[in-house]
Amino acid sequence: MELRAERLRLAYDARVVVDGLDLEIPTGAVTVIVGPNACGKTTLLRALGRLVTPKAGTVHLDGRAIHSMPTREVARRLGILPQAPVAPDGLAVIDLVTRGRSPHQNWWRQWSTGDELSVLGALRATSMLEHASRPVDELSGGQRQRAWIAMALAQETPILLLDEPTTYLDLAHQIEVLDLVVDLNRQQQRTVVMVLHDLNHASRYADHLVAMKAGRIAAQGPPAEVMTAELVQDVFGLRCQVVTDPASGTPLVIPYGRHHAADAPSLAG
Amino acid sequence: MRAPGVQQVAGRTTYRLARPSVSGVLRVRALVVGLVAAALALVTLSVSVSIGDYPVPLPDVVRALAGSGDPGTLLIVRELRLPRAVVALLVGAGLGMSGAILLALTRNPLASPDILGIAQGASAAVVAGVVLGFGSSLGTSGIALLGGLAAAAAIYLLAWRRGTTGYRIVLVGVAIAALCLAVTQYLLVRAQIFEAQRAVLWLIGSLDGRDWAHATPLAIALAVLVPTALATMRWLTLLGLGDDTARGLGVPVQTARLLLLLIGVGLAAFATAAAGPVGFVALLSPHIARRLAGVAGPPLLGSALVGSVIVLVSDVTARLLPGGQLPVGVVTAALGAPFLLILLARANRAGTGG
Ligand SMILES: Nc1ncnc2c1ncn2[C@@H]1O[C@H](COP(=O)(O)OP(=O)(O)OP(=O)(O)O)[C@@H](O)[C@H]1O
Ligand SMILES: [Mg+2]
């Protein structure tokens, strides 16, 4: 299952967001996209998931142009969790998660053993089983986020695109979700592409890190090579120091601010 | 692996057969509500046929419907009264399902065909026909149908921009409704008293004098549109999660929306053509059905059944009220609106508003 973008040009009316972008998503790996607000991360992810049609260029899924494939066929191979999804009033968590199964269902078979295993598995993996009967709109922001992640998990696609899956989550749940992503990747060889804002989480959890700036790829590769003080300065315009994360051995970004940089020693480059 | 059968899973009743491999989630409450509504519709249909200048006892009604009885009773039941009751049943079903589809499609609780201009389009066309004296060969129903479909076409064309969003459909619909209303009022002001009276009677929505000629086209339209709606119900459910999520789950969003919009306005246009713009039924039925059934989206069949019950009960009430016959459209609003308010008040107390 390979996903690849070629000379992609993405625009909303006259506003060109991405132009001439090439990107190959490594199969069976976790790819993390980072970049400042409005640089086009969401737009790129939506294009990879055929939610926006490119003005030029192509997204290839398994060698076929994704936009000419039947959308239901794509839905069985690639799942996408939008940045700010909304559920209808009163929809229970279990019903939301069950909807994730629809690419695999038809009107007479809507609760097969496969459906049941996937739905319960997804609820358990996101610790949402105890909230299964509650309406999504009555959950806390973090619980709601986990319900949506459970829906994406239940879809059981080899490729999973997640737009900021850790927003709204407390630190413990952020780590839990990211660990879950690694589990999915290691145990089921799923390809994951996610947008994250936390550079330390990105460095820790990415096999392949993509840094975007103004619709272009500023750098990509293993986090240890990509995440440098120069890159952070270049992409985010932020002075920082990059040290080694004692827990994971990956880069750890320590940002400087106007109030907390004056006598900081300049250790790493 | 557990055995096939009915099981409770995480608060849901599920069923699964080994062969044929049929499975699903059983919504017991929705099922009960649907069955009760269907039973109520049949009872009110029989009552509607039994009352009148020559009351026919209910057992005789049932016998006559089954095809036996004396010729006089058969004539009264099957030729004189049944068409009116059947039109009421079908109009209610059409409006109820249309309301449910448009509500779910636009994700807007106010988006019903009588707010979106379908009914107003039909009205403007009928009044224009009466006042300006054209289209008499089409009959009132034919003109109403054309007017409703024209309004729907205008909404769709004007709302189309980088893919029609639910929000745009509502705004454009409200504008079209206002425009059609202005045309109707202008024509009524300009019209002769006699013509105006004829037009106004139609405008309130009435079941008087409906015969099989009114019931048949509506029945055919429903026979086509209702199964299509049920077949596309899963798209409708998924569209409720937003366009991005729906497409991500494999819904061809543009096609689905166009088809569902066509079904929704088609149901409303045919219903309006048969009985005039019977107000409020399309708006109320889906909300009532959804709350009674305890589900997130408006149930299509449930809304249709609730719509039928509302129109039938309203018609019976209108005919039983002393002091002359009221048009059914007056009663639907008077009966349905308080019922919705009660449901809303109860939902707020239980902490599940919206
Ligand atoms: N629907 C839209 N219509 C017009 N412009 C849009 C639309 N969505 C995004 N844009 C614009 O495209 C650019 C990229 O937006 P995008 O959402 O891809 O950024 P992002 O990198 O995901 O940002 P964030 O970190 O804030 O989520 C922005 O300038 C934004 O204003
Ligand atoms: Mg974004």
Side-chain angles (χ1 to χ4, degrees):
Chain A
M1 211 53 65
E2 64 139 41
L3 187 63
R4 186 163 52 84
E6 203 175 83
R7 287 196 291 284
L8 217 51
R9 181 184 163 89
L10 308 171
Y12 298 99
D13 289 334
R15 183 204 298 266
V16 177
V17 176
V18 167
D19 202 0
L21 182 140
D22 291 297
L23 179 64
E24 181 141 3
I25 303 296
T27 305
V30 176
T31 300
V32 176
I33 304 175
V34 296
N37 288 139
C39 73
K41 304 180 296 296
T42 295
T43 308
L44 174 61
L45 201 74
R46 293 179 74 230
L48 291 176
R50 53 82 174 85
L51 299 184
V52 279
T53 311
K55 296 283 184 258
T58 331
V59 174
H60 296 281
L61 176 64
D62 268 344
R64 291 165 66 192
I66 199 171
H67 284 94
S68 60
M69 291 169 71
T71 190
R72 197 171 145 89
E73 196 183 324
V74 176
R76 286 195 281 257
R77 304 176 184 205
L78 177 151
I80 178 161
L81 183 62
Q83 187 168 356
V86 273
D89 282 348
L91 185 70
V93 171
I94 176 128
D95 294 326
L96 174 68
V97 177
T98 303
R99 281 172 200 192
R101 295 299 300 162
S102 41
H104 307 279
Q105 296 174 328
N106 41 44
W107 62 265
W108 68 89
R109 210 178 50 227
Q110 302 198 11
W111 193 256
S112 65
T113 10
D115 292 337
E116 182 169 320
L117 288 177
S118 300
V119 168
L120 292 181
L123 284 170
R124 246 180 241 122
T126 50
S127 345
M128 287 304 287
L129 193 52
E130 59 186 301
H131 304 295
S133 305
R134 294 180 60 192
V136 176
D137 51 314
E138 287 176 16
L139 299 175
S140 79
Q143 291 170 331
R144 204 174 300 169
Q145 185 83 11
R146 276 149 57 207
W148 281 97
I149 292 173
M151 189 210 78
L153 292 186
Q155 203 176 336
E156 299 262 10
T157 50
I159 301 177
L160 202 52
L161 311 183
L162 307 169
D163 199 350
E164 299 191 24
T166 53
T167 327
Y168 301 119
L169 300 184
D170 65 45
L171 188 56
H173 278 118
Q174 289 182 32
I175 298 296
E176 202 172 287
V177 163
L178 293 170
D179 280 345
L180 174 65
V181 167
V182 173
D183 288 343
L184 292 171
N185 168 249
R186 297 226 178 116
Q187 291 162 14
Q188 306 172 11
Q189 285 74 49
R190 295 211 216 182
T191 304
V192 180
V193 185
M194 56 183 168
V195 174
L196 291 180
H197 273 301
D198 188 312
L199 299 183
N200 298 329
H201 289 170
S203 304
R204 205 186 249 201
Y205 286 93
D207 299 312
H208 187 76
L209 186 64
V210 177
M212 279 184 78
K213 180 190 176 184
R216 296 182 175 281
I217 293 178
Q220 59 176 322
E225 290 170 21
V226 171
M227 195 57 75
T228 60
E230 288 80 36
L231 178 101
V232 177
Q233 171 72 51
D234 172 39
V235 168
F236 292 93
L238 178 72
R239 286 205 315 121
C240 72
Q241 180 183 344
V242 176
V243 297
T244 301
D245 184 337
S248 58
T250 51
L252 184 71
V253 176
I254 300 172
Y256 294 160
R258 280 191 296 107
H259 301 290
H260 303 96
D263 49 355
S266 157
L267 288 182
Chain B
M1 207 94 331
R2 67 177 173 72
V6 176
Q7 305 254 341
Q8 288 293 128
V9 181
R12 287 283 172 270
T13 309
T14 65
Y15 62 92
R16 186 183 308 138
L17 302 181
R19 199 163 308 192
S21 71
V22 175
S23 60
V25 176
L26 200 63
R27 300 191 189 270
V28 181
R29 183 167 154 192
L31 204 65
V32 170
V33 167
L35 290 176
V36 169
L40 261 179
L42 283 183
V43 170
T44 32
L45 182 96
S46 308
V47 171
S48 166
V49 172
S50 91
I51 60 171
D53 289 341
Y54 297 93
V56 181
L58 273 177
D60 290 355
V61 169
V62 175
R63 234 169 281 134
L65 288 179
S68 63
D70 63 89
T73 311
L74 277 179
L75 177 76
I76 291 177
V77 168
R78 292 168 63 125
E79 293 307 318
L80 300 181
R81 294 195 188 151
L82 189 57
R84 178 194 186 117
V86 167
V87 169
L89 180 92
L90 297 180
V91 163
L95 290 177
M97 189 173 279
S98 164
I101 291 174
L102 293 175
L103 184 101
L105 195 59
T106 57
R107 293 170 215 132
N108 186 318
L110 286 179
S112 77
D114 29 356
I115 307 266
L116 290 187
I118 317 293
Q120 287 81 352
S123 305
V126 167
V127 173
V130 170
V131 172
L132 306 176
F134 67 79
S136 50
S137 62
L138 280 171
T140 313
S141 305
I143 300 177
L145 184 61
L146 288 183
L149 292 179
I155 293 169
Y156 194 73
L157 291 177
L158 291 171
W160 181 277
R161 181 175 161 266
R162 267 195 288 127
T164 306
T165 63
Y167 192 47
R168 262 182 90 81
I169 295 179
V170 176
L171 280 181
V172 170
V174 168
I176 299 275
L179 204 65
C180 292
L181 191 64
V183 169
T184 307
Q185 287 172 340
Y186 171 81
L187 288 170
L188 284 179
V189 169
R190 281 304 159 96
Q192 309 289 330
I193 297 287
F194 169 70
E195 294 162 345
Q197 240 170 14
R198 226 159 52 99
V200 165
L201 202 65
W202 190 87
L203 281 181
I204 299 173
S206 161
L207 292 167
D208 284 340
R210 294 304 187 268
D211 54 28
W212 288 119
H214 293 94
T216 312
L218 183 56
I220 294 173
L222 290 192
V224 173
L225 294 174
V226 169
T228 321
L230 295 178
T232 46
M233 189 159 66
R234 283 166 59 69
W235 282 351
L236 193 62
T237 312
L238 293 174
L239 281 172
L241 299 178
D243 289 2
D244 276 3
T245 310
R247 183 170 294 127
L249 291 174
V251 178
V253 172
Q254 290 305 331
T255 315
R257 214 203 304 273
L258 175 61
L259 187 63
L260 284 160
L261 190 66
L262 280 178
I263 299 170
V265 300
L267 285 168
F270 275 97
T272 308
V278 181
F280 254 167
V281 178
L283 182 69
L284 293 175
S285 308
H287 290 292
I288 293 174
R290 173 169 100 75
R291 283 185 172 71
L292 289 178
V295 291
L300 293 191
L301 272 183
S303 305
L305 289 168
V306 168
S308 291
V309 172
I310 293 181
V311 175
L312 278 165
V313 169
S314 300
D315 185 41
V316 168
T317 311
R319 284 154 62 196
L320 289 177
L321 281 178
Q325 297 211 346
L326 277 174
V328 67
V330 175
V331 186
T332 48
L335 281 184
F339 191 62
L340 178 68
L341 290 177
I342 292 170
L343 279 181
L344 279 172
R346 279 175 40 112
N348 279 343
R349 224 174 302 140
T352 53

